Amino acid sequence: MENSYAAVASEKEDDQLLEILGEHAAYEPEAILALIAEIEKRNLQAPDLEQIKQETLQALQQRELQLNPEPAGPTSFADKFKDFWTLFVPQRHYFVTPILVNINIVIFVLLVLTGMHVLSPEGEDLLNAGSNYGPYTLTGEPWRLFTAMFLHIGIIHLLVNMYALASIGGALEPLVGRKQFITAYVLCGLAGSLASLWWDQQRNGAGASGAIFGMFGMFMTMVLLERRMTWAEKKGMVYNMLGVIALNLVFGLQGGIDNAAHTGGLVLGIAYGAVLMLRSGRYFTQQYNLRGSIVTVALLLVAFVGLYLQIPTENAKYLTMLDRFGERETAAMDVMKEMELDATLINGGKYLPGLEQGITLWDESIKELIALQELPDLGEQQAKEVEILLNYTQLRKTSYQMMRDDIQSNQPWMHSKQQQVLWAISTYVQELNDLRGGEEPEPTASENEIPVRMEVDDLEKLDPDAKPLFVIDGEPLEQMNPDDVEKIIHPDDIASVTVLKGKEAVALYGEQARNGVVLITKKKE
């Protein structure tokens, strides 16, 4: 083979030799070495001749090592330690990979130092660090598609991924060069994040797995398409890659592992590897036309943006609303907890700022829930939950307005009308729990029940007879105001309280239970 290359080179004119040398990346290393030997023989002046010669020799040596790896002999502990540390040190043909490994490790260490658990990080810590969570990523934070690639869910996750990255990076980066390696890594990571979003918007995703799977797929594709090696030379590497990929995908079928991200990165890695092979004429090379690289990356990024914009966002907006609703509800209920603990001071005015803040928070939730109702593709159960939450929130706002007005007028706030409002609120809480538990919720509306959209002034029009039926240890009492029940049974003597409503209440206790039933069980003496 070498003699044939030398014979061909000897027949070329001087200018032809120099022209071929300028395009050395497109030819086999043996051909270029024969060409250089002919140029040196003729004493021709060629720019960068020695550098091209050294690069060609290194490429030839790298290929030989991949095809015929030398058996590792026994090494000392010092040698093994030295070899281990080289995984983290950038070198000429292993430059980007250790930098990526180091970045992932440093980020993990910094997060642990700020309080993240080293083995099982909390979801909130990952969210704060930039994990890929649909309700956030799809509602104004698309940068999480990128940052999630550098976060890991515990040290085991980190070590496994970094070992895989160092392994594939050590084989692939010398073949395609630094620029193509880092470009492919980022693109495959983004593809994995997007695939994860399409599959499960409620997953809190993090990790470099999508990018790493892409590197494995890219390497396997490039080996398959490379024209210089025979199948006998390729099949060992191809079967090895297929085994690694299949094993990890099967392992990923277990719960908690983001196989969608793995698959997304793998598919893009296979496609990107095929594109690189076609661009190079199906040879391994580090030299790629800059314009072609820019066009390839631009097209992929446009495709990513298109896919991102096509992801249905109704569920993400719903989940985001639930998070915000929970935060507002917690803040708004703080003043209620204080009032319950220190009821003697409720008319002192100290709670007015808290009530005003609560009214504002409930009002913000009402506006957001109304906007959510207008989404065209909201699921049936989600729409029902939004409706119940809206009714609940409007009553909470009414309750707070009543408390504020009572305190301002130096009146007791826990009167019968307030108790009716709180009882109506409890029915919506129960209805929501039934719905989420898979039960068909009973309707809460009745002709005498508190109107959901009622303003404070409308409370004066309430039917004073609209009271629930109280049943103590199975014995129905006459309908009465809730505050009168304390005259019959002391709160400390109550073991449990159950609220029945709608058809269930009427079926058990007749028409007198049309406004609901409060079942009270006494503590056993």
Side-chain angles (χ1 to χ4, degrees), residues 423 468-471 498-502 504-506 508-510 512-519:
W423 178 81
L469 175 68
F470 286 86
V471 178
T498 304
V499 176
L500 303 179
K501 56 188 183 300
E504 183 181 11
V506 173
L508 290 174
Y509 295 97
Q512 63 178 337
R514 66 184 181 279
N515 294 315
V517 177
V518 179
L519 300 176

Side-chain angles (χ1 to χ4, degrees), residues 172-242:
L172 183 58
E173 185 181 345
L175 299 179
V176 299
R178 302 173 185 177
K179 295 179 182 177
Q180 292 300 333
F181 185 83
I182 186 60
T183 299
Y185 183 89
V186 172
L187 291 174
C188 289
L190 292 174
S193 295
L194 277 171
S196 180
L197 273 186
W198 270 98
W199 185 256
D200 184 2
Q201 294 181 11
Q202 298 187 51
R203 177 182 290 276
N204 190 6
S209 302
I212 295 170
F213 262 79
M215 297 297 96
F216 277 102
M218 179 179 168
F219 182 57
M220 181 184 68
T221 302
M222 296 184 77
V223 170
L224 275 172
L225 295 179
E226 206 277 338
R227 66 169 62 187
R228 189 164 44 203
M229 292 185 289
T230 66
W231 173 244
E233 296 170 327
K234 295 178 180 181
K235 66 179 181 180
M237 289 183 285
V238 172
Y239 287 155
N240 182 51
M241 291 296 103
L242 282 173

Side-chain angles (χ1 to χ4, degrees), residues 213-401:
F213 262 79
M215 297 297 96
F216 277 102
M218 179 179 168
F219 182 57
M220 181 184 68
T221 302
M222 296 184 77
V223 170
L224 275 172
L225 295 179
E226 206 277 338
R227 66 169 62 187
R228 189 164 44 203
M229 292 185 289
T230 66
W231 173 244
E233 296 170 327
K234 295 178 180 181
K235 66 179 181 180
M237 289 183 285
V238 172
Y239 287 155
N240 182 51
M241 291 296 103
L242 282 173
V244 171
I245 291 169
L247 180 63
N248 281 275
L249 288 177
V250 170
F251 182 71
L253 294 175
Q254 301 182 43
I257 297 178
D258 196 353
N259 242 1
H262 296 172
T263 305
L266 176 64
V267 170
L268 186 71
I270 291 172
Y272 197 79
V275 170
L276 290 185
M277 279 285 101
L278 293 175
R279 288 178 59 194
S280 68
R282 293 173 55 194
Y283 293 107
F284 283 122
T285 180
Q286 296 186 10
Q287 305 299 321
Y288 288 93
N289 179 270
L290 180 60
R291 180 179 297 178
S293 297
I294 292 174
V295 170
T296 302
V297 172
L299 289 174
L300 285 173
L301 290 178
V302 170
F304 286 166
V305 172
L307 288 171
Y308 173 81
L309 295 176
Q310 289 299 314
I311 299 177
T313 59
E314 281 75 10
N315 187 57
K317 291 178 179 178
Y318 170 75
L319 293 172
T320 304
M321 181 278 298
L322 285 185
D323 285 343
R324 293 173 181 167
F325 181 89
E327 293 172 358
R328 294 193 190 107
E329 182 183 37
T330 300
M333 293 299 290
D334 284 343
V335 67
M336 281 289 290
K337 295 176 182 177
E338 292 181 21
M339 293 173 71
E340 290 173 357
L341 292 174
D342 193 8
T344 60
L345 297 177
I346 58 175
N347 292 328
K350 64 177 288 188
Y351 301 112
L352 287 176
L355 289 170
E356 291 290 358
Q357 180 189 17
I359 292 169
T360 300
L361 292 170
W362 294 125
D363 197 48
E364 290 175 359
S365 291
I366 289 171
K367 293 177 181 177
E368 193 169 78
L369 287 164
I370 292 174
L372 199 60
Q373 280 187 320
E374 298 174 356
L375 294 177
D377 298 323
L378 200 62
E380 182 179 350
Q381 175 161 332
Q382 292 174 340
K384 182 61 178 176
E385 288 190 15
V386 171
E387 180 185 352
I388 296 172
L389 285 174
L390 181 58
N391 294 339
Y392 164 85
T393 307
Q394 288 169 328
L395 279 179
R396 279 293 186 193
K397 177 184 174 183
T398 298
S399 174
Y400 275 44
Q401 289 172 328

Side-chain angles (χ1 to χ4, degrees), residues 461-503:
K461 304 175 184 178
L462 278 176
D463 182 356
D465 295 328
K467 309 180 184 73
L469 175 68
F470 286 86
V471 178
I472 299 180
D473 282 346
E475 181 181 350
L477 306 178
E478 294 182 1
Q479 290 180 327
M480 62 181 67
N481 291 325
D483 50 356
D484 293 334
V485 177
E486 295 185 6
K487 300 175 182 179
I488 301 174
I489 179 171
H490 193 276
D492 292 340
D493 296 329
I494 296 176
S496 65
V497 177
T498 304
V499 176
L500 303 179
K501 56 188 183 300
K503 295 178 181 178

